[in-house]
Amino acid sequence: MKKLMAVASLLTLAISASTSAASFTLSSNDIKQGEFMSQVHEFKGFGCTGDDLSPHLKWENAPKGTKSFAITAYDPDAPTGSGWWHWQVVNIDKSTTEIAQGAGSEGHAAWLSTASHVDNDYGSPRFGGACPPQGHGVHRYQFTVHALSVEKLELPVNASGALAGYMINANSIATSTIEALYKRD
């Protein structure tokens, strides 16, 4: 009975230690889970007239073993059969834990010292804002920060969004996502 009590005590201790550990979290001053984004995050082009600014993002409590980060923004509701990559940044230095609004725009990439953009589905290596077809209803935009187990993902210069996504997911040890919404009536 004493052995059983000792084992139960150890299990309780282990469970409480693991549940009290801080989890990898993503927050933003600009976007909120399940809420509509502002027009400042709408694409400028393809009939959209937004400011095309990436949102502020801040992440905390990266797991042990994190060697770099990646950021992705994806619309699974785009009528393409494969969704739409709005943003992919890889090889973000592990010391980076926050980026300002507009950091994904052309000319605002000083924070990308070791990192690089992958071409979005608009064909540009930068953030490309929301631009769902008019009248297509609500689209979900999944902004995800990935804690990676490698310092550098080796990708070809013109890597597709699918290839980059595969390599990011294959090397992710933790992710945190904010799913924001957008529609054009």
Side-chain angles (χ1 to χ4, degrees):
M1 186 67 165
K2 282 187 176 184
K3 284 184 182 180
L4 186 59
M5 296 284 282
V7 170
S9 292
L10 286 173
L11 283 173
T12 302
L13 205 73
I15 291 169
S16 66
S18 68
T19 56
S20 66
S23 62
F24 186 44
T25 59
L26 176 60
S27 60
S28 175
N29 295 335
D30 300 324
I31 59 173
K32 302 292 180 229
Q33 178 68 30
E35 294 184 15
F36 283 90
M37 292 187 287
S38 161
Q39 190 177 7
V40 301
H41 306 299
E42 182 181 274
F43 188 66
K44 190 172 206 162
F46 286 36
C48 291
T49 59
D51 295 326
D52 209 13
L53 295 177
S54 58
H56 160 267
L57 298 173
K58 180 180 181 178
W59 52 97
E60 298 178 305
N61 304 315
K64 185 177 180 175
T66 299
K67 295 184 179 173
S68 68
F69 295 101
I71 297 171
T72 60
Y74 178 71
D75 172 6
D77 302 313
T80 64
S82 61
W84 192 272
W85 290 105
H86 287 267
W87 196 21
Q88 291 178 301
V89 185
V90 298
N91 305 328
I92 300 168
D93 188 271
K94 70 179 181 180
S95 65
T96 302
T97 58
E98 184 173 18
I99 58 169
Q101 182 186 73
S105 303
E106 289 178 300
H108 294 92
W111 64 278
L112 291 171
S113 61
T114 61
S116 59
H117 280 99
V118 174
D119 282 358
N120 59 35
D121 282 341
Y122 294 113
S124 300
R126 63 180 186 82
F127 173 77
C131 188
Q134 198 148 9
H136 197 256
V138 176
H139 281 223
R140 297 168 292 154
Y141 295 85
Q142 299 163 343
F143 291 86
T144 304
V145 174
H146 306 259
L148 303 178
S149 61
V150 295
E151 285 182 36
K152 185 172 184 175
L153 292 177
E154 299 295 334
L155 293 171
V157 174
N158 292 326
S160 68
L163 176 59
Y166 176 84
M167 293 301 291
I168 290 167
N169 288 318
N171 292 282
S172 287
I173 54 178
T175 62
S176 189
T177 301
I178 296 173
E179 185 175 82
L181 309 173
Y182 201 76
K183 74 175 182 172
R184 292 174 55 221
D185 292 324

